[in-house]
Amino acid sequence: MDKIRQDERVLLEVSHLKKYFPIRKGFFKRVVGHVRAVDDVSFSINEGETLGLVGESGCGKTTTSRAILRALDPTDGQILFRTESGEIVDLAALPEKEIRPLRSQMQMIFQDPFASLNPRMNLLDIVSEPMLTIEGIKSRKERSERVAELLRLVGLRPEYMQRFPHAFSGGQRQRIVIARALALNPRLVVADEPVSALDVSVQAQVLNLMLRLQRQLNLTYLFVAHDLSVVKHFCNRVIVMYVGKIVEDAPTDELYFRPRHPYTAALMSAVPVPDPRIRSAMTPLEGDVPSPANPPSGCYFHPRCPYAVDICSQKTPELEEISPDHYVSCHRAGELELTGVVDPRQAQIG
Amino acid sequence: MNPTEPLLSVQNLKTYFFLDEGTVKAVDGVDFDVYPGQVVGIVGESGCGKSVTIKSVLRLTQKPGRIVEGKILFRSQRVTDADSGSDVIDLTTLDPHGKRMRSIRGAEIAMIPQEPMASFSPVHTVGNQLIEAIRLHEDVSKEEARQIAIERLHEVGMPNPEQRLDAYSWELSGGLRQRAMIAMSLSCNPHLLIADEPTTAIDVTTQAQVLNLLRSLQKMHNMSIIFITHDLGVIAQVADYVVVMYLGRVMETGPVDDIFHNPLHPYTKALLKSIPSIYSPSGTELPTIEGSIPHPFSRPSGCPFYPRCEAFMAGVCNAKDPELQSINERQSVSCFLYEEKQMQPS
Ligand SMILES: Nc1ncnc2c1ncn2[C@@H]1O[C@H](COP(=O)(O)OP(=O)(O)O)[C@@H](O)[C@H]1O
Ligand SMILES: Nc1ncnc2c1ncn2[C@@H]1O[C@H](COP(=O)(O)OP(=O)(O)O)[C@@H](O)[C@H]1O
Ligand SMILES: [Mg+2]
Ligand SMILES: [Mg+2]
């Protein structure tokens, strides 16, 4: 039974989502296999919340986010979305023509603020672009009033409207990208590594802006990042992906301090703690992420897992609720005692 | 080597880029020392001159860039000073392409570049490139060089090093390529290893592998390392001593524990506060540094940080250049807040 139909707070429910890319070979471009970039992923996001998505590169984070917004066509699965009018639609099943009117409710922010802005367009055109394609042409005055409002919202001066992207720093460009994403009053914003390319001081400014906008506009975020400290700071709930699958899904503090999957625990222990007094913490995970075109048998993590036993190479574990609201897919989750990030209240300071 | 004498001493280094539009003072009076066996972390936001500083040390800056002032004193075991015969050489006096600089660069001072792919040629095997690098600096036979190469690969934790000699870099996984690259940098047993953001584009898991490896190699060879990063977490984990840079200047230096637990410069303090901590509650706003890093052409006069500084004193910070001066036995800081304290004895 779908959670979204029972729980009014749920804005988006992804269920059994798959995205396979065909591998073609030879003269006839015959399909010889598939990259299972997203392989049976299910999760939900409540309205007004921030869900984090983490995992090493190549785990399928970007593909998941793009499939949700139908920037990519999913191979299989459902993407249930509660529209503004309260109706529940399956975005995966809708034809492009019926998606278009819903696009205003879902927007995306990409990692690279340099690549995602057209250098030949000024701020007015960049920020108002979504209004043209979706709401039809508005009068120039209406457009520029709305753009001025949006620029103020993201902390840029409306006078900048006639300027071009090259005149702005990385942090300012990411504000422009955010202003454009907000142009149509979206309800869901999918942000793929929005602060990864920014410096520490600028990163803090952009994260604060995103938090403020969330409160002001009741936004729901899906926040993809590889920086675990940023995700910890920003998200209510976090999903960990490994080779196209979800290995763990839990409220943020639970996941960081009481991880139940060995992969999550390994990620957490690899975070360099910004305190020279806590040094022994980093225990690296050996080896590399396997290719999603040719994943290992059983649990995909078993070749790198220090706790693997026979069953791990034979049977793929299911994502199960191990404690209230905490989901994990590991055969041994019930018996393992794992540690997460070092809790400074317990660490030996000296 | 005498551990109480610096291996490298950078003094008042200035490296400028002379462009048609104006002069970029990329490095504008930088001072720091590196002692034998010490890991020095250079931290600062992008564009503050970290890479230009170490390229100057390696004498790799290219036109329109030029070292315009300062000294880079290096204690060499291969080269002696032409005039004094001393083993302390001012690298700024050497011809960057000359024999003496080439015998220091790559051998006594080695570098791990930021981009692992760029450091290997795709058409030669990893082994051949390692052997070639070793024979460039050491007078050994091909077979001896091969043994050293295997030894180096073994040291960096490469599984089956004999077989890996015949691999091409593009055949190696990301983690192994990173290791091969480190083996390459260590091929001639350098006394000083420079790592310029070696873990910026990699996952936390690979980063942890690389950091652990560097820590253990440092102990094994008692090398000095200059580790450049904008990640304060990484600095806290690897550095003994920290140099905080902003817009081509050194703001503060000190032992890593003091920098993190007793920062003095307002910039160091603000930077530490603005990193999202794994311990702070989710969804709270971070303290920020207002404004952004100025464009290199429009650098402020006086202290480069004053327009963003909470402790800005009008008529002081924007009028004069603060000097880097020692505040206690351990820390040095370049800030008028501390100059005033010294001027008014308590
Ligand atoms: N268009 C594509 N064609 C084939 N493979 C792809 C394509 N896009 C992504 N992939 C593969 O899918 C996997 C997941 O990629 P991605 O979603 O970008 O991961 P992440 O964002 O977590 O780094 C990777 O193995 C990647 O190489
Ligand atoms: N080849 C060059 N020509 C002109 N300016 C340069 C050149 N290389 C670096 N710079 C400038 O020097 C300053 C310092 O750069 P860099 O040392 O690379 O910074 P960091 O490594 O700290 O990010 C920057 O303002 C940069 O734009
Ligand atoms: Mg991605
Ligand atoms: Mg650099």
Side-chain angles (χ1 to χ4, degrees):
Chain A
M1 192 57 203
D2 303 319
K3 204 173 161 190
I4 193 169
R5 296 187 204 280
Q6 293 167 347
D7 188 343
E8 289 236 312
R9 291 171 305 170
V10 178
L11 176 71
L12 177 84
E13 181 175 8
V14 173
S15 105
H16 303 292
L17 180 70
K18 293 181 184 162
K19 177 65 195 177
Y20 293 177
F21 295 104
I23 306 169
R24 294 174 195 278
K25 278 235 168 76
F27 184 71
F28 295 104
K29 297 270 177 264
R30 217 160 38 85
V31 175
V32 295
H34 284 96
V35 178
R36 299 187 202 175
V38 179
D39 197 10
D40 201 357
V41 156
S42 304
F43 63 88
S44 61
I45 314 181
N46 288 352
E47 185 145 23
E49 276 194 353
T50 303
L51 178 70
L53 184 53
V54 303
E56 288 164 283
S57 55
C59 284
K61 304 181 296 296
T62 295
T63 309
T64 302
S65 5
R66 294 178 61 91
I68 288 171
L69 297 190
R70 281 292 300 273
L72 285 172
D73 286 331
T75 306
D76 197 11
Q78 288 186 312
I79 303 163
L80 302 175
F81 181 69
R82 191 186 304 278
T83 65
E84 208 150 21
S85 55
E87 198 191 341
I88 293 167
V89 295
D90 180 4
L91 299 173
L94 291 184
E96 176 58 32
K97 165 162 109 319
E98 287 171 50
I99 300 268
R100 210 167 302 143
L102 294 172
R103 288 231 188 267
S104 60
Q105 300 184 35
M106 315 171 286
Q107 288 292 317
M108 185 129 183
I109 300 171
F110 296 99
Q111 170 170 1
D112 190 349
F114 294 86
S116 53
L117 296 175
N118 183 339
R120 280 185 290 272
M121 283 163 74
N122 66 19
L123 257 52
L124 174 64
D125 292 333
I126 288 172
V127 176
S128 65
E129 197 184 19
M131 303 178 208
L132 295 176
T133 52
I134 298 192
E135 294 185 341
I137 310 225
K138 286 188 168 182
S139 77
R140 198 171 166 79
K141 184 156 168 292
E142 263 179 303
R143 275 206 302 149
S144 71
E145 272 168 16
R146 175 75 179 133
V147 169
E149 186 187 342
L150 287 162
L151 291 180
R152 263 193 297 265
L153 194 63
V154 299
L156 290 174
R157 315 228 311 240
E159 299 93 273
Y160 291 166
M161 216 180 287
Q162 302 301 330
R163 296 197 192 173
F164 292 84
H166 68 82
F168 297 92
S169 68
Q172 288 174 320
R173 287 182 209 206
Q174 204 55 299
R175 289 173 192 267
I176 300 168
V177 172
I178 293 171
R180 178 176 60 185
L182 297 178
L184 300 171
N185 292 316
R187 298 163 63 228
L188 174 67
V189 174
V190 176
D192 191 0
E193 308 263 7
V195 296
S196 306
L198 305 177
D199 269 304
V200 199
S201 67
V202 183
Q203 175 178 300
Q205 293 171 354
V206 172
L207 289 173
N208 285 351
L209 171 68
M210 288 182 68
L211 281 172
R212 234 171 284 152
L213 290 170
Q214 176 168 49
R215 266 180 246 128
Q216 230 170 316
L217 308 170
N218 193 31
L219 298 173
T220 306
Y221 288 131
L222 175 63
F223 186 87
V224 178
H226 68 269
D227 184 329
L228 293 164
S229 309
V230 169
V231 170
K232 167 72 173 63
H233 187 86
F234 198 70
C235 302
N236 309 100
R237 189 177 182 88
V238 180
I239 290 177
V240 183
M241 276 186 87
Y242 190 69
V243 200
K245 288 189 182 294
I246 292 179
V247 298
E248 191 159 0
D249 174 352
T252 308
D253 276 352
E254 274 272 311
L255 190 97
Y256 278 66
F257 293 111
R258 282 172 297 282
R260 304 302 292 266
H261 197 288
Y263 179 60
T264 313
L267 282 184
M268 295 308 158
S269 73
V271 176
V273 181
D275 183 346
R277 293 179 186 175
I278 306 175
R279 269 219 175 163
S280 59
M282 286 189 302
T283 19
L285 186 61
E286 295 301 327
D288 292 287
V289 183
S291 157
N294 185 21
S297 63
C299 169
Y300 292 174
F301 187 57
H302 87 260
R304 298 173 83 188
C305 183
Y307 306 100
V309 291
D310 287 349
I311 187 176
C312 303
S313 58
Q314 292 154 9
K315 194 164 163 261
T316 307
E318 298 282 326
L319 193 65
E320 279 166 11
E321 189 167 13
I322 188 161
S323 59
D325 210 23
H326 191 148
Y327 301 83
V328 61
S329 99
C330 170
H331 293 303
R332 302 192 62 195
E335 47 172 317
L336 296 177
E337 285 284 339
L338 302 171
T339 47
V341 290
V342 187
D343 190 332
R345 288 156 295 195
Q346 283 157 25
Q348 295 279 323
I349 307 281
Chain B
M1 208 176 298
N2 187 346
T4 59
E5 303 274 344
L7 175 66
L8 177 78
S9 179
V10 174
Q11 299 177 358
N12 193 31
L13 178 70
K14 297 188 179 178
T15 306
Y16 294 176
F17 290 89
F18 298 92
L19 309 176
D20 293 339
E21 309 91 287
T23 302
V24 177
K25 297 182 177 179
V27 175
D28 197 24
V30 159
D31 295 273
F32 66 93
D33 293 335
V34 181
Y35 285 87
Q38 196 180 42
V39 181
V40 172
I42 302 185
V43 64
E45 298 178 272
S46 58
C48 72
K50 305 183 294 296
S51 295
V52 173
T53 300
I54 57 104
K55 277 188 193 151
S56 304
V57 170
L58 289 162
R59 300 301 314 276
L60 290 172
T61 40
Q62 283 171 349
K63 276 187 181 164
R66 189 156 52 81
I67 297 177
V68 294
E69 211 180 309
K71 287 193 174 118
I72 301 169
L73 302 177
F74 179 68
R75 193 171 295 277
S76 174
Q77 298 196 343
R78 291 175 179 245
V79 175
T80 47
D81 188 83
D83 301 326
S84 66
S86 155
D87 62 348
V88 178
I89 317 284
D90 182 355
L91 301 183
T92 63
T93 63
L94 299 185
D95 170 6
H97 309 291
K99 191 160 169 263
R100 298 194 316 153
M101 193 60 222
R102 275 185 293 139
S103 75
I104 291 176
R105 191 195 304 131
E108 284 191 283
I109 308 180
M111 165 140 164
I112 304 177
Q114 199 165 349
E115 180 46 62
M117 263 330 236
S119 61
F120 285 106
S121 148
V123 297
H124 300 287
T125 62
V126 168
N128 280 341
Q129 293 178 69
L130 263 169
I131 289 166
E132 201 178 311
I134 293 164
R135 294 194 67 197
L136 187 68
H137 294 288
E138 312 285 342
D139 186 19
V140 291
S141 73
K142 220 168 176 169
E143 187 46 39
E144 283 167 318
R146 190 183 151 82
Q147 285 311 314
I148 298 174
I150 292 171
E151 169 74 10
R152 291 288 170 268
L153 287 176
H154 180 74
E155 268 176 19
V156 299
M158 180 77 78
N160 308 319
E162 284 93 344
Q163 286 154 38
R164 286 290 172 10
L165 279 183
D166 299 323
Y168 292 91
S169 61
W170 42 266
E171 292 176 318
L172 300 176
S173 69
L176 292 188
R177 202 181 298 136
Q178 202 86 26
R179 285 171 195 268
M181 188 174 77
I182 293 171
M184 185 89 167
S185 317
L186 296 181
S187 58
C188 297
N189 266 323
H191 298 133
L192 175 62
L193 181 68
I194 300 180
D196 190 0
E197 312 232 16
T199 62
T200 298
I202 61 182
D203 282 311
V204 274
T205 48
T206 317
Q207 168 171 289
Q209 290 175 15
V210 171
L211 297 183
N212 273 359
L213 177 62
L214 285 176
R215 275 187 197 168
S216 73
L217 290 169
Q218 189 274 329
K219 286 207 189 77
M220 198 192 299
H221 295 281
N222 195 33
M223 295 182 282
S224 307
I225 299 183
I226 299 179
F227 199 103
I228 293 174
T229 177
H230 62 268
D231 186 333
L232 288 160
V234 171
I235 284 285
Q237 290 301 312
V238 299
D240 301 317
Y241 195 82
V242 181
V243 176
V244 182
M245 283 185 70
Y246 186 78
L247 274 184
R249 298 260 178 89
V250 174
M251 300 281 109
E252 179 165 3
T253 63
V256 67
D257 195 76
D258 296 86
I259 295 291
F260 279 80
H261 292 282
N262 181 33
L264 297 175
H265 199 287
Y267 178 61
T268 318
K269 290 181 185 175
L271 204 56
L272 284 166
K273 275 194 221 137
S274 68
I275 40 173
S277 160
I278 226 136
Y279 307 124
S280 58
S282 308
T284 48
E285 289 202 11
L286 290 160
T288 56
I289 307 177
E290 284 311 312
S292 53
I293 303 167
H295 191 275
F297 287 142
S298 50
R299 41 171 317 135
S301 58
C303 170
F305 186 58
Y306 89 78
R308 305 176 72 189
C309 185
E310 277 188 353
F312 168 60
M313 297 173 284
V316 181
C317 305
N318 54 345
K320 292 180 291 177
D321 280 1
E323 303 237 329
L324 187 68
Q325 52 179 349
S326 47
I327 295 300
N328 51 44
E329 320 82 86
R330 300 179 308 276
Q331 273 160 291
S332 294
V333 59
S334 138
C335 175
F336 290 113
L337 284 176
Y338 299 91
E339 285 195 4
E340 286 199 350
K341 276 189 194 129
Q342 286 196 330
M343 282 186 282
Q344 313 161 341
S346 51

